[in-house]
Amino acid sequence: MNSFSQELPPIVKYPQNAYSAGNQNWMITQDKMHSVFFANNEGLLEFNGANWILYPSPNETIIRSVNAIDDKIFTGAYMEFGFWSRNPNNELFYTSLSSKVKEKLIDDEQFWNILHYEQWIIFQSFNRIYIYDTKNEVFNIISETDAILKAFVVNNAIYFHVINKGLFEIEKGKSKLISNDPIFLNSKIVNLFFINEELLVQTEFSGFFKLKEGRLNKFVTDADSEIASSNVYSSLLLSDGSFAVGTVSNGVFILDSNGKIKYHLTQNKGLSNNTALSLFEDVDKNLWIGLDNGINCINLQSPIKSFSDDTGILGTVYASIIHKDKLYVGTNQGLFVKKLKDEDTFQFVQGTKGQVWSLFAEKDDLFCAHNVGTFLIDDTKANLLYAGSGTWKIEKIPNRSDLLLQGNYIGLTILKKVNNQWVFSHKIKGFDYSSKHFELTKSQEVYISHEYKGVFRLQLDPSFTKATSFYTYPSPSKGKNSCLIQYNSNIYYAYKEGVFKLNPKNKQFEKDSILSAVFEKDEYTSGKLIVDPSNKLWLFTKNYIHYFSLSKLSNQLKENVIPIPASLTNSMLGYENITQLYNSTYLIGTTDGYYTINLNDLTFKEYKLKITNIAINKLNEKLISCSIVENGLFKYNENNIIFNYSVPEYNKYINAEYQFLLEGFQEEWSEWSSKTSSNFKNLSPGDYTFKVRAKIANSKPDDIVTYRFTILKPWYFTNAALMIYFFILVVIAIYIHKRYKKYYIQKEQKLIEENNLLLEIKELENAQQLMKIKNEQLAQDVDSKNRELAVSTMSLIKKDELLALIKEDLKNAPEITNKSVKSVITTITKNINKEDSWNIFKEAFDNADNDFLKKVKQDHPTLTPNDLRLCAYLRLNLSSKEIAPLLNISVRSVEIKRYRLRKKMNLDHEQGLVEYILSF
C-alpha cells in the first residue's frame, strides 16, 4: 500500500507530443512576461501558458543551457552561444556572441551553463569560462587544464568546481582556490547554496555539506541513503527555504530546511519520468522539472493536494468520512482506512470487498452502505447488518433515535437499535423501487428521486412499516444523474433542467432561480447535491465546483466558485463526493483516488493577460505574423486574422477563461471560454479594435488588452480611385451630354427634314388629289362632251330621218307639180347626207377623245369605217339598242357586228369588248 500513501501537490504533465520538440530538457528559465523557456534537444522551447513554440538551434545542435536576463534569452549550444530578442511580432530572433571569439573557441566545446552577475554574463563549458561584459562588449576567458564541472553565482560571488583541484572563486577576473577538501577532489558538486552565512554544498552521491573555513562538514538529511544510490543530477533552493533534489533514477526529493522529506516525487507517484535533468522555480513558486522524457510542473504552493493511486488497489472513491480521527474512504474496491493526520498507508477493512456507495455516522457508530447490504464498521472490522439487497444510503428518522431509514435497491428498510445493538428490523411495504436519493420529513413523508422514473412522495404510517399513500410527480421529470437532498429544512431536486425547491404549502416543486443559474452559466454534467457539516451546499458542473452558504445578514444564498473542471478531477458523474476534513479543508473523490482542497488558501492573484501573437493571411495562403506593438494596417485581401493570447498561469486545477470583443464586427462580448485564440475571417474594410479580458474563478476581469487595426479598401475603392472614378464619370457625363445634345440636334434636324418631306409629300398628294379631281372633272367633261356629241349625232340622225320621211311623203304625193314642192324636196335631199354627218361626227369625236379612232385604226388596220363607227358608239358607252337606230340596223345586227369586231381585234374570250375600247 505504500505506493499510494502520500498526498502530493498537483503535477501538470507535458509529454513530448504536447510540446512537439526533443524529449530531453537540460535547463529552464523564465522571462519578465512569465513565459517559460527550455534548453531542448531540438532548440529553444517557449511556453506561455497556452502555446508551445520551438525556435531551432542556430547551428542545428542541442541547446544545453538557457537563462533569461533582462529582455534577452541567452542560450549555449555546441560551439555556439548568444542571445535571443523579440521583434515587434513577439517572435524571437538570434544574435551570436560566440562569433566575436570564434577563433578562441576550443574544438568540440559545448556550453552547459549560463550565469548572470551584475553586468557580466558567464558562459561555462567543460573547458573554459567566458565572461561577457555587456557594457563594454568584451570577453574575459578563464581556462583550466582539468575539466570545469560546474560554475555557480552565490552570495554575490562567482565559484566554479574543477575536478581533482577543488572549488575556485573568480576575483578581479582571476581564479582563486577556495577549498581542496577531498570531497571537492573526489566528488562532483551539483550546486552551491548560501544559507545562514554559510555555503551549503550539494554533491552527486554524498549528500549535503557545509563549507566552513575551507573544510566540509556533513549536513544530514532523511534522504541521504536514497540520494547515495540515486545519482543527483540537479538541485535547487526554493523560495520557502526547501530544497528540490533531482536524481537520475529516483525522481525528485523535496526536503525542508532541516533536511526532512516533504515529498518524494517519482514516476509511480505522478512524474512522467524518474530522471530529472533540470529544476526551476518560477515566480508563482511552481517547480518545473526538465525530465529525460517530457516536462512536469509541480504546483508546490497549491491549496490542492492530490492522492493518486496508480496501482488500482484503492480504485474510484465514492464516499469518505472522518470518524474517530480516522479517514475512511469507500471505493469500488471496498472500504479503506488510515489515521487522519499521519502519513500512514491505507488499510483495507476486511469483508468489505466490493462497491461502497456511502458512509454514515450516528454518534459512535459508522455504517457502510455497500452493494451487498449494510455494514457496521468498528475500526478495521466490518459486521454485516443487512444483506437483503444493496444499500444506497442511510438517514436518521426525526424524533426516533432508535431507528434508521435505509434506501436500498428494492425500496426502503429500517434498522433498529435493540439492547444498544443495531439490527435489521423490516422492509417498508408498498414501495419496491430503488431508493438511491431520498429525504424524510418530520411529518413522515419520504421524497425519493429515481433516475429513470422521476420523483415520488410516500406517506409512512406511524410505525414505519408501510407506505399509506404513493404519489408520482409529473413535474419535474426524471433526469440523468439527478439528485434529491434536504438543505436548511427545504427539499431540493436537481437535474438537467435546473434545481427545484419543494413548496411545503402545496407540496409541489418550484424552480429555484439562484441555484438553477449554476446550470445556465455552465454546462450540466451532474445534478449531485451535497450538504457538508458546515452547512454548505455543493454542486458540480463541467468547468466548476460551486458551493453555497447562507449569508450572515440574511437568508440569501451566497455563491462561491472553484474553477476546477470535471475533466481534471476525474470524478464519476452522478457520484461526486466531498467531505469536510477540517475547518476549511475538503476531500473530493476521483476515479484514481482523491484530492484535498483548502478553501482558505484558495486565492487568485492578479495575472497579466497578454496578446502573444497576431497572424493574418490571404485566402488559402500561409499565415504571416504581425506586430503586436503597433496598430495593424492590412491589405483588403489580408482580412483573415487570428489572435492568440494567454495568462501565464501554470496551475493544474485553476484554468483561466477568456472573453473577447471585436469592435466594428461585434456588438457584445463573446461567451467566457478557455480557448486562447480567436479567429475572424473575411473582415470587411474598416477600422477595428480587438479587446480581450481574462478571469480566474470569481476574479473581476478588469485587465483589458486592446489591439487596433485597419483593413484597407482595395485600390479600386480608395479615395484616390474614387476621385478618379468621379473625374471619369464627369468626363463621361460631359461626353454623353454632348453626344446626346448633338444627337438630339441631328434628330431635330432630321425630324424637321422629315416633316418638310412629309409636307412636300402632303403637297404632292394634295396636288395629285387636285389633279385627280381635275382629271375626274375632265373625264366628266369628256363624258359630258361625249354625251353631247351623241345627242348631237342622234339629233342629226333624227333630223335626217325626219327629212327623209318628209321627202318620201312629198314624193308620194299625187301631184308634185308645184315648183316650190320640188324645190323643197331638192333642199331636203341636199341636207340628208349621211356621209357628211358621219364625217362631222368623226371629226368632233376625235377632237373630243384625243384621236381615238385614229389610235384604234393604227392598232387594228383591218377595221372598216362601219367598224370604227361601232367602236365610236361603244366608246360613248352606248348599248346595242341605242346603237341600232344610229346604224339603221336591228339590235341583232349590232350584236353580230360586235362579235365580228372582237374577232378582228383578236380579243380573248375573257376580255370584254367595251373594256378594251375604253382602255385606249
Side-chain angles (χ1 to χ4, degrees):
M1 297 291 181
N2 289 333
S3 61
F4 57 95
S5 62
Q6 190 180 20
E7 294 173 7
L8 302 173
I11 301 175
V12 187
K13 298 180 181 180
Y14 302 106
Q16 181 185 2
N17 58 8
Y19 57 77
S20 301
N23 58 318
Q24 294 176 316
N25 298 277
W26 299 98
M27 199 168 180
I28 308 171
T29 189
Q30 188 176 36
D31 68 0
K32 292 180 179 179
M33 298 301 292
H34 297 181
S35 290
V36 184
F37 295 86
F38 304 85
N40 185 268
N41 276 6
E42 294 186 9
L44 178 62
L45 183 63
E46 178 187 4
F47 182 49
N48 58 27
N51 301 302
W52 294 90
I53 305 169
L54 177 66
Y55 297 95
S57 171
N59 59 355
E60 298 182 352
T61 62
I62 296 173
I63 292 184
R64 299 291 187 180
S65 56
V66 62
N67 197 345
I69 302 169
D70 297 328
D71 58 348
K72 295 181 175 64
I73 312 298
F74 291 86
T75 58
Y78 176 82
M79 300 293 290
E80 178 65 47
F81 60 83
F83 63 87
W84 304 74
S85 303
R86 292 195 183 276
N87 61 19
N89 298 351
N90 202 40
E91 296 174 332
L92 293 176
F93 65 95
Y94 183 73
T95 302
S96 175
L97 292 176
S98 58
S99 59
K100 297 183 178 182
V101 290
K102 187 174 182 180
E103 67 284 351
K104 296 181 181 180
L105 295 180
I106 299 174
D107 189 33
D108 206 35
E109 194 170 15
Q110 296 193 61
F111 295 89
W112 290 85
N113 198 8
I114 300 174
L115 302 169
H116 180 216
Y117 180 75
E118 295 180 355
Q119 70 189 58
W120 293 278
I121 310 298
I122 301 161
F123 300 92
Q124 178 237 318
S125 72
F126 285 150
N127 308 99
R128 289 175 170 180
I129 294 177
Y130 295 78
I131 304 175
Y132 177 64
D133 187 335
T134 57
K135 290 185 177 179
N136 300 315
E137 297 185 355
V138 295
F139 280 92
N140 180 27
I141 302 175
I142 296 177
S143 301
E144 287 289 337
T145 55
D146 294 313
I148 301 173
L149 298 181
K150 193 78 177 281
F152 316 93
V153 173
V154 182
N155 190 31
N156 291 323
I158 305 171
Y159 299 92
F160 62 92
H161 179 222
V162 180
I163 193 169
N164 299 326
K165 286 187 178 182
L167 183 66
F168 292 82
E169 181 181 359
I170 299 176
E171 288 186 355
K172 297 180 181 180
K174 304 292 182 180
S175 60
K176 173 186 174 183
L177 180 64
I178 298 298
S179 175
N180 59 358
D181 187 278
I183 294 296
F184 289 121
L185 298 178
N186 302 316
S187 300
K188 178 182 177 181
I189 305 304
V190 177
N191 214 337
L192 289 181
F193 310 107
F194 188 78
I195 301 174
N196 298 325
E197 303 300 321
E198 292 180 325
L199 279 178
L200 185 64
V201 180
Q202 166 80 66
T203 64
E204 185 177 17
F205 293 103
S206 304
F208 291 89
F209 294 86
K210 291 183 178 181
L211 179 62
K212 189 173 183 180
E213 297 178 355
R215 307 308 300 173
L216 292 174
N217 298 308
K218 180 67 176 174
F219 174 69
V220 179
T221 71
D222 291 349
D224 284 347
S225 59
E226 293 188 79
I227 287 175
S229 61
S230 300
N231 188 359
V232 176
Y233 193 87
S234 57
S235 65
L236 186 67
L237 177 63
L238 301 176
S239 57
D240 64 353
S242 301
F243 300 97
V245 180
T247 69
V248 172
S249 58
N250 201 13
V252 176
F253 294 88
I254 307 296
L255 310 177
D256 65 17
S257 58
N258 296 317
K260 302 295 183 181
I261 298 177
K262 294 173 65 175
Y263 308 111
H264 181 199
L265 307 173
T266 63
Q267 190 167 355
N268 288 336
K269 296 180 181 179
L271 285 186
S272 300
N273 188 271
N274 276 334
T275 302
L277 299 178
S278 55
L279 299 171
F280 178 77
E281 185 183 29
D282 66 17
V283 293
D284 297 320
K285 301 180 182 180
N286 297 309
L287 176 62
W288 291 85
I289 306 174
L291 299 165
D292 191 54
N293 189 11
I295 297 169
N296 287 175
C297 179
I298 316 299
N299 305 140
L300 290 176
Q301 303 300 316
S302 173
I304 300 171
K305 297 293 183 285
S306 175
F307 185 98
S308 180
D309 170 31
D310 292 334
T311 66
I313 297 174
L314 190 67
T316 301
V317 174
Y318 284 83
S320 58
I321 196 171
I322 302 295
H323 187 68
K324 296 180 179 180
D325 292 327
K326 288 185 172 65
L327 173 61
Y328 288 86
V329 176
T331 77
N332 61 343
Q333 301 298 318
L335 184 63
F336 297 84
V337 62
K338 76 164 189 168
K339 291 182 180 179
L340 183 59
K341 295 185 179 181
D342 292 345
E343 293 295 340
D344 199 3
T345 60
F346 277 105
Q347 292 182 344
F348 176 67
V349 178
Q350 297 298 322
T352 62
K353 186 67 176 177
Q355 177 71 60
V356 175
W357 293 119
S358 65
L359 297 170
F360 173 77
E362 170 60 13
K363 296 182 179 177
D364 291 336
D365 296 319
L366 178 63
F367 297 86
C368 174
H370 198 279
N371 73 299
V372 300
T374 305
F375 290 93
L376 182 64
I377 307 300
D378 182 13
D379 197 10
T380 60
K381 298 179 182 179
N383 299 312
L384 187 62
L385 295 180
Y386 167 72
S389 73
T391 301
W392 292 110
K393 179 184 177 183
I394 304 170
E395 283 289 338
K396 295 179 182 180
I397 295 179
N399 304 319
R400 289 295 300 269
S401 60
D402 62 328
L403 297 180
L404 293 175
L405 181 62
Q406 293 190 132
N408 303 104
Y409 291 0
I410 58 171
L412 298 171
T413 57
I414 295 293
L415 294 179
K416 188 173 184 180
K417 198 171 190 178
V418 180
N419 297 326
N420 210 31
Q421 297 291 325
W422 288 101
V423 296
F424 171 71
S425 177
H426 61 272
K427 180 182 182 299
I428 295 176
K429 298 179 181 179
F431 185 78
D432 298 324
Y433 291 150
S434 176
S435 304
K436 182 178 179 181
H437 302 290
F438 69 89
E439 291 295 337
L440 179 64
T441 67
K442 293 180 180 180
S443 59
Q444 297 179 203
E445 287 180 329
V446 182
Y447 291 85
I448 302 169
S449 166
H450 192 289
E451 190 173 10
Y452 303 115
K453 293 184 177 294
V455 181
F456 307 110
R457 183 179 74 237
L458 307 179
Q459 179 64 58
L460 303 183
D461 67 348
S463 62
F464 298 97
T465 57
K466 65 179 180 179
T468 58
S469 65
F470 179 95
Y471 176 74
T472 302
Y473 280 91
S475 176
S477 62
K478 65 183 180 179
K480 184 179 180 181
N481 299 331
S482 59
C483 183
L484 184 143
I485 203 166
Q486 190 166 198
Y487 176 60
N488 289 333
S489 301
N490 294 308
I491 293 177
Y492 292 89
Y493 172 71
Y495 75 124
K496 64 180 180 179
E497 297 300 327
V499 181
F500 294 78
K501 180 181 177 180
L502 181 68
N503 187 329
K505 294 181 179 179
N506 58 18
K507 296 183 180 180
Q508 295 297 315
F509 284 91
E510 299 171 353
K511 193 168 187 178
D512 188 291
S513 59
I514 297 176
L515 296 177
S516 297
V518 168
F519 299 143
E520 294 170 1
K521 294 175 183 177
D522 193 24
E523 185 176 335
Y524 172 87
T525 55
S526 170
K528 185 66 179 289
L529 302 172
I530 299 172
V531 178
D532 68 27
S534 63
N535 204 33
K536 292 184 179 70
L537 177 62
W538 295 80
L539 295 88
F540 305 85
T541 59
K542 182 179 180 180
N543 294 302
Y544 301 100
I545 297 175
H546 307 257
Y547 68 91
F548 290 83
S549 57
L550 286 174
S551 172
K552 294 181 180 180
L553 300 177
S554 67
N555 287 326
Q556 292 294 322
L557 291 175
K558 179 183 178 182
E559 181 184 9
N560 294 275
V561 177
I562 303 173
I564 300 179
S567 59
L568 288 177
T569 61
N570 292 324
S571 297
M572 286 288 293
L573 299 181
Y575 296 93
E576 295 87 352
N577 56 95
I578 185 166
T579 301
Q580 188 174 14
L581 299 180
Y582 314 112
N583 183 36
S584 60
T585 302
Y586 289 80
L587 181 151
I588 300 174
T590 66
T591 55
D592 58 354
Y594 63 84
Y595 63 90
T596 63
I597 181 170
N598 189 324
L599 297 183
N600 289 342
D601 294 338
L602 191 64
T603 58
F604 307 101
K605 71 167 201 173
E606 292 293 330
Y607 287 98
K608 185 70 175 178
L609 172 65
K610 60 179 180 179
I611 294 177
T612 58
N613 180 258
I614 300 171
I616 60 168
N617 75 311
K618 298 178 182 178
L619 187 64
N620 299 324
E621 292 190 13
K622 186 178 179 181
L623 288 170
I624 303 172
S625 293
C626 307
S627 172
I628 64 173
V629 179
E630 302 173 348
N631 293 344
L633 191 64
F634 309 129
K635 297 178 180 178
Y636 74 96
N637 55 357
E638 297 173 337
N639 58 347
N640 302 310
I641 184 166
I642 299 175
F643 295 94
N644 290 291
Y645 37 82
S646 70
V647 169
E649 185 274 315
Y650 308 102
N651 195 306
K652 178 177 182 179
Y653 293 110
I654 298 175
N655 289 339
E657 290 186 299
Y658 305 90
Q659 194 178 41
F660 61 84
L661 170 68
L662 183 60
E663 292 181 353
F665 181 75
Q666 298 169 299
E667 294 184 357
E668 297 181 354
W669 287 86
S670 67
E671 296 293 329
W672 287 105
S673 170
S674 58
K675 289 183 61 177
T676 58
S677 66
S678 41
N679 188 357
F680 301 94
K681 294 184 177 180
N682 298 322
L683 292 176
S684 302
D687 296 324
Y688 297 90
T689 300
F690 177 76
K691 296 182 178 180
V692 61
R693 59 189 179 186
K695 72 170 183 176
I696 296 176
N698 295 323
S699 63
K700 294 183 179 179
D702 295 328
D703 185 20
I704 298 178
V705 179
T706 61
Y707 175 79
R708 293 178 175 83
F709 66 97
T710 299
I711 296 179
L712 299 174
K713 298 176 182 178
W715 65 266
Y716 43 83
F717 281 151
T718 59
N719 292 336
L722 292 176
M723 290 181 66
I724 293 173
Y725 298 154
F726 178 75
F727 176 75
I728 293 174
L729 287 174
V730 169
V731 172
I732 292 174
I734 294 172
Y735 174 77
I736 292 174
H737 174 71
K738 289 184 176 180
R739 291 293 299 175
Y740 267 102
K741 187 175 182 181
K742 183 178 180 181
Y743 169 77
Y744 281 118
I745 291 173
Q746 292 176 345
K747 193 79 173 177
E748 184 180 8
Q749 189 67 32
K750 185 177 180 181
L751 187 61
I752 292 172
E753 292 176 356
E754 288 178 351
N755 288 335
N756 292 335
L757 182 60
L758 289 173
L759 290 173
E760 292 177 0
I761 293 172
K762 193 69 176 177
E763 290 177 357
L764 289 174
E765 288 178 351
N766 291 335
Q768 288 178 350
Q769 189 69 22
L770 182 60
M771 187 174 291
K772 182 179 179 182
I773 293 172
K774 289 182 178 181
N775 290 337
E776 289 177 353
Q777 186 67 38
L778 289 173
Q780 290 177 0
D781 292 343
V782 170
D783 289 341
S784 177
K785 293 293 183 181
N786 288 337
R787 288 292 178 186
E788 291 177 0
L789 181 62
V791 171
S792 299
T793 303
M794 292 292 292
S795 298
L796 290 174
I797 293 171
K798 291 292 183 181
K799 181 201 71 163
D800 289 342
E801 288 178 354
L802 180 60
L803 291 175
L805 287 175
I806 294 171
K807 179 182 175 181
E808 287 297 322
D809 288 341
L810 291 175
K811 284 181 177 181
N812 294 329
E815 291 181 356
I816 312 174
T817 59
N818 194 335
K819 185 178 179 180
S820 59
V821 173
K822 291 182 179 180
S823 177
V824 170
I825 291 170
T826 302
T827 302
I828 291 171
T829 302
K830 289 179 180 180
N831 283 286
I832 301 173
N833 191 341
K834 291 183 179 180
E835 289 297 328
D836 291 340
S837 297
W838 165 247
N839 290 331
I840 293 169
F841 174 79
K842 180 180 178 183
E843 183 178 356
F845 188 84
D846 282 336
N847 290 333
D849 204 1
N850 295 325
D851 298 326
F852 165 73
L853 294 176
K854 291 181 180 179
K855 293 178 181 178
V856 173
K857 184 64 176 176
Q858 288 176 357
D859 288 346
H860 303 284
T862 58
L863 294 181
T864 63
N866 285 333
D867 292 332
L868 292 174
R869 187 177 298 172
L870 178 60
C871 287
Y873 294 152
L874 290 174
R875 177 77 172 178
L876 293 174
N877 205 17
L878 299 178
S879 64
S880 297
K881 188 176 180 180
E882 291 173 327
I883 296 171
L886 295 176
L887 297 178
N888 201 20
I889 58 176
S890 65
V891 175
R892 175 67 180 169
S893 297
V894 173
E895 292 296 332
I896 292 170
K897 277 184 172 292
R898 289 178 65 147
Y899 174 75
R900 289 174 179 169
L901 181 61
R902 285 178 61 87
K903 295 291 285 181
K904 288 181 180 180
M905 290 183 173
N906 295 320
L907 297 180
D908 294 333
H909 178 70
E910 292 82 8
Q911 193 172 8
L913 176 61
V914 175
E915 293 175 357
Y916 177 72
I917 291 173
L918 290 175
S919 65
F920 280 90

